[in-house]
Structures are given as C-alpha cells and as structure tokens.
Amino acid sequence: MTQKYTITVAGGGSTFTPGIVLMLLKESSRFPIRKIMLYDNDPERQKIIAEACGIYLRENAPEIEFGYTDDPKEAFTGIDFVLAHIRVGKYAMREKDEKIPLKYGVVGQETCGPGGIAYGMRSIGGVLEILNYMEAYSPDAWMLNYSNPAAIVAEATNRLRPDSKILNICDMPIDLEEKMAGIAGLKSRKEMQVGYYGLNHFGWWHQIYDKAGNDLMPVIRAYIAENGFPVSAEQQVDDSWAHTFKMAREVYAIDPETIPNTYLKYYLFPYEIAAGLDPEYTRANEVMDGREKKVFSVCREIIEKGTSSGSNFEADAHATYIVDLARAIAENTQERFLLIVPNEGAIENFERTAMVEIPCIVGKNGYEKICQGKIPRFQKGMMEQQVNVEKLVVDAWIEGSYQKLWQALTLSKTVPSAAAAKVILDEFIQANEDYWPELT
Ligand code: NAD
C-alpha cells in the first residue's frame, strides 16, 4: 500500500497557506497525503484561512483528513512533516521593521539590514517553539522551515538545536533559477545543475550547466548584463519586485563572473535604495493592501457562499519545491537543493561554523553537502562581514545582550555608523517589547 503522509502547516493563518494546501493537493499523486493540519497561535486569523481551506478540501479531496487548531499537542502529534512559515509579529511588526530604519535614511527591508535583524530577534523564539513541539509530540518528523529571516533562524537552530531534524530552505534561488532556465531556453530549473555559494539572501551562482554538461553561464550572463532578471507574463509582480529583478543588472556589473541573488542590492546599494523608498508606504503596506487583503477576502467569500467553486483560490506553483524536498526525505530521491547548512569546509576558505547556502543532495537521512571550493576575495569579504552580523544577532538573543545587538547593527553594511545603529536599536527595543528577550 502506498504510504500517505500527515502534514502540519505551522503558521496556518499565513497568506501563503491556501496556496500551499492547494499545491499539496495538486501534487498528491507524487506525494500522497493522509491528513493536513493547520496550526497557528492566532486562532482568529487562522480560522478564516482554515475554514476556507476546509471547504475547498471537502469539495475537491474529501479523502484527505483536515483540521486546524491552536493546541500544540493536537497539531504536532502523529505527523511526518512540519511546513513552517510563521511571521512572529505579523505584518504590523514588519511595517515597523521597515519604517524605523527609513526614518534615519537607512534601508528598511524585511530580511536585509536592520529590519531583518529586528525580525530575526522575533523569529528565533517562534521557530524554536515549533521545533520543540514537533520533537515532543512527533520525534521522527522533519521540519521544513522557510520562515524568515532564514539566515538568522538557521544560525540559531544550528547553535541551539544542532541535532534537530530541520531543513532551512529559501524560495528566492528557486525563482531565480526558473528565470535563468527560461533565459537558457530550458523548460525548468530541474534541467540545470548549479554551483552556488553564499549566505541566505546573500549568494552567487558560479556555475550553471545543462543536463549534457554544456556551460549555460555565458548566455545567462549576457542576458542579465543587459536586462537583469526577466519577469514572465504570467508572473504578476508588484512594482517593488519588478525593480528588484531589473536592478540585478547593476548588481551583476560589480562581479560579471558570477550571477547574484537579487537581495544583494540592499547591501551593495543601501543608500540609493533607501533614498528611493517611501518612508510612509513600504513593502509591508504593499502586501497588507495587496496579497493579505486579497487572500483574506477570497477566504471570506468562500466561507459566506459555503463553496469554493468559482473562487479565486490558486495553487502556489513555485512552492512545489516543498513537495520535492519532502519527497527527497520520505522517498530518498537524492535530489539536489540549495539548503542553508553548516559550512564545515564546503566553502574551503570561509568560516567553518557559518551557516552557508550551497547545493546539497537530500535523502532519507538528511543532506550531503556539495563542496564549492574556494570563493573569490570580493564575495568572501562581503560574506565575512554579513555572517558576523548574523552571529552577533544570535549571540544577542541568547545572552540578552544590548551590546552585541548594537555591534550587529553597526557591522551591517546597510548601516552608515554606530550612532545610526544606536538610534535605530533604541527604537526597535521599544517597538519589540512584546517579542524580544530583555536586553541589558
Ligand atoms: P503572515 O503574517 O501572513 O502569516 C504568518 C502567520 O504566522 C500568522 O498567521 C501568525 O499568526 C503566525 N505565527 C506567528 N508566530 C507564530 C508562532 N509562534 N506559532 C505559530 N504561528 C505563528 O506571513 P506571510 O507573509 O504569509 O509569511 C510567513 C513566513 O513565510 C514569513 O516568515 C515569510 O518571510 C516566509 N516566507 C518565506 C519564504 C521562503 O522561501 N523563505 C517565501 C515566502 C514567505
């Protein structure tokens, strides 16, 4: 008999949950599902998403058991996988992460720079909590974590729970690889084999081959030098994302040997980017007025009508990598993924204890790393600065240290001075009093 899997989605009230649930359903011939459980610590928010997903599942896959809860024991007992996408503090806090630095002319972004540091200080506890529940109630389960800021979360989980069954993964390289496959005339990123090194939201492709071993870098580099990353007709992106994809051209120009992750723009052009952002209306506002409103209004409509037929519920096509990853573990597929893992020599001339993003082969017993050799001085210099920011944030969280967090902000390439770091930190502390550990 085919094995069927039980999955808990942590952060059940997330705007991404309906897309993930529908994607799981669409992929169920590859990855059969017995039960989907949603878990969130905000029951009111989750109820709207969960009731709508419940109606959809009853109508389209009545054989799949479905439930939702804010009770950890009920959520995490008897499961095979946790898909974790929590946002501690929700969009209200993301708005503060972005707007506080911008008041001082410093880039305000979800995962990069001061905003990412503030978000990291909130996320560490939330992700550890989910991991603890999973280990208490389903010790054999795996957690596939894509909660942000993934770099800081991965550093914390590796430091505090080194033996836990958690894989930290990000969808940005996947999206960019799809774009590059398109540039090279391939149908899918799965037809490429890549070499990549970096930290999360801070990395570079240095090799891209097709299945026959032909070098695709020249054609992709030529395209990006001219255009940045393309946006396909069916990919509807907000203006801020369109700007990011286009700006890859400027980021690429700094090192034309490699292809950069788009998030590097925040570190390489921090002042130009900050100057172009509206301190009164940031990406958080764009999402609250856009995706969040849309997802919740579709869910409310489904609930009111009592049916999902004719609704705008859509599977998240990009999220199929989550099923690929779960299958790699469940069925030992030995597929390659970019994961955020302890370096331990995989990047030869870089700190051994760093959590680096590199290609790995994933199977039943976890991952094997694919060595990326020595990296160039420019990337090494940038990564050394950034990895120490991330390590200092985790130190600050563990030790409750104001000093270390001030150092982290000061060291960030996005922050111009220790003075700017201090005013931003002091405002962050007030804004995050319900979420951060006390800093002394
Ligand atoms: P959202 O605010 O819509 O949803 C997050 C949910 O998490 C909320 O319902 C909230 O109540 C819940 N939550 C917060 N703390 C919790 C806790 N301790 N326990 C249980 N639930 C908790 O946010 P979103 O925009 O859907 O994003 C969710 C997460 O996924 C974010 O961290 C985002 O950055 C991340 N994300 C990651 C990737 C990636 O590939 N790395 C891609 C997209 C989104």
Side-chain angles (χ1 to χ4, degrees):
M1 210 178 77
T2 330
Q3 177 161 7
K4 292 187 172 187
Y5 301 98
T6 296
I7 287 171
T8 291
V9 177
S14 156
T15 53
F16 291 106
T17 298
I20 298 275
V21 168
L22 264 68
M23 181 279 295
L24 287 172
L25 209 60
K26 221 171 159 184
E27 300 291 317
S28 61
S29 59
R30 289 200 303 139
F31 187 66
I33 297 196
R34 188 177 77 77
K35 180 176 175 184
I36 299 175
M37 191 72 179
L38 305 188
Y39 167 78
D40 202 290
N41 66 358
D42 179 343
E44 283 81 40
R45 183 181 172 92
Q46 174 169 257
K47 189 169 195 286
I48 301 159
I49 301 278
E51 286 289 333
C53 288
I55 291 170
Y56 187 93
L57 283 167
R58 271 199 303 283
E59 290 177 335
N60 294 284
E63 69 286 0
I64 295 180
E65 241 185 273
F66 176 75
Y68 65 94
T69 180
D70 59 346
D71 172 32
K73 188 170 181 193
E74 192 187 345
F76 293 93
T77 301
I79 61 171
D80 301 301
F81 291 98
V82 176
L83 311 184
H85 56 208
I86 63 167
R87 184 187 293 283
V88 179
K90 291 168 275 194
Y91 285 107
M93 288 308 297
R94 174 176 179 173
E95 188 179 9
K96 293 185 183 175
D97 293 344
E98 293 170 348
K99 289 187 175 171
I100 290 172
L102 275 174
K103 275 168 61 177
Y104 305 99
V106 175
V107 69
Q109 208 276 332
E110 179 190 20
T111 62
C112 302
I117 291 173
Y119 185 16
M121 289 288 287
R122 293 196 302 276
S123 287
I124 294 171
V127 171
L128 289 177
E129 194 176 84
I130 306 274
L131 202 49
N132 290 345
Y133 292 144
M134 180 185 87
E135 291 182 344
Y137 299 118
S138 289
D140 294 330
W142 279 88
M143 177 165 166
L144 312 184
N145 181 54
Y146 42 102
S147 308
N148 272 315
I152 291 170
V153 167
E155 170 66 22
T157 52
N158 185 53
R159 193 105 64 94
L160 298 166
R161 300 286 187 283
D163 300 322
S164 291
K165 289 182 168 172
I166 174 171
L167 295 180
N168 289 296
I169 189 163
C170 173
D171 71 345
M172 194 71 239
I174 288 169
D175 183 39
L176 297 177
E177 284 179 13
E178 285 297 350
K179 291 181 176 350
M180 291 191 283
I183 294 169
L186 305 176
K187 282 205 195 73
S188 149
R189 69 184 162 86
K190 294 188 180 182
E191 294 172 39
M192 305 192 309
Q193 184 162 310
V194 308
Y196 181 93
Y197 56 76
L199 311 169
N200 179 238
H201 287 183
F202 205 98
W204 293 264
W205 282 269
H206 63 106
Q207 290 172 338
I208 306 181
Y209 299 109
D210 67 12
K211 288 268 187 206
N214 299 307
D215 186 1
L216 302 177
M217 284 292 273
V219 66
I220 297 172
R221 285 204 305 239
Y223 183 96
I224 290 175
E226 189 80 9
N227 310 288
F229 284 104
V231 181
S232 63
E234 66 272 17
Q235 190 183 25
Q236 292 172 349
V237 293
D238 291 331
D239 289 350
S240 57
W241 273 110
H243 176 266
T244 292
F245 292 132
K246 194 146 191 220
M247 198 170 172
R249 199 175 48 177
E250 278 74 43
V251 179
Y252 167 78
I254 301 162
D255 178 34
E257 295 299 310
T258 55
I259 296 169
N261 191 305
T262 46
Y263 282 97
L264 285 160
K265 75 171 188 176
Y266 295 107
Y267 300 95
L268 293 165
F269 298 95
Y271 310 119
E272 293 79 359
I273 299 246
L277 293 172
D278 180 351
E280 304 299 326
Y281 195 84
T282 61
R283 176 72 189 148
N285 301 110
E286 207 177 60
V287 179
M288 286 188 274
D289 292 344
R291 192 177 68 234
E292 193 181 37
K293 262 207 181 109
K294 184 175 158 213
V295 169
F296 277 85
S297 83
V298 170
C299 288
R300 286 196 179 94
E301 202 183 299
I302 291 173
I303 297 166
E304 263 163 41
K305 284 194 196 156
T307 175
S308 67
S309 78
S311 78
N312 248 344
F313 247 18
E314 278 171 21
D316 183 345
H318 278 298
T320 50
Y321 75 92
I322 295 167
V323 161
D324 295 335
L325 188 58
R327 282 188 72 231
I329 293 167
E331 292 168 25
N332 204 25
T333 64
Q334 305 286 318
E335 196 174 332
R336 285 168 73 127
F337 296 88
L338 296 189
L339 297 182
I340 308 158
V341 294
N343 182 28
E344 293 162 346
I347 299 173
E348 190 185 331
N349 54 341
F350 192 59
E351 174 154 354
R352 285 188 68 82
T353 67
M355 292 301 281
V356 294
E357 195 166 65
I358 51 169
C360 296
I361 297 169
V362 181
K364 204 174 181 61
N365 298 305
Y367 59 82
E368 291 170 65
K369 292 175 264 197
I370 300 174
C371 288
Q372 298 300 299
K374 282 194 177 151
I375 58 173
R377 190 175 295 283
F378 172 67
Q379 281 84 353
K380 182 171 182 301
M382 284 196 57
M383 281 165 60
E384 266 164 9
Q385 181 175 16
Q386 179 62 15
V387 81
N388 285 302
V389 172
E390 289 158 9
K391 284 184 175 293
L392 281 164
V393 174
V394 175
D395 289 345
W397 189 88
I398 294 171
E399 298 165 25
S401 167
Y402 179 96
Q403 202 73 36
K404 295 255 169 90
L405 203 56
W406 185 19
Q407 289 174 354
L409 282 157
T410 303
L411 193 59
S412 173
K413 198 163 163 33
T414 58
V415 178
S417 75
K422 195 167 197 315
V423 282
I424 293 170
L425 173 57
D426 290 340
E427 251 193 87
F428 270 163
I429 289 175
Q430 281 190 354
N432 283 279
E433 63 179 354
D434 294 339
Y435 301 100
W436 285 10
E438 196 190 341
L439 302 182
T440 52

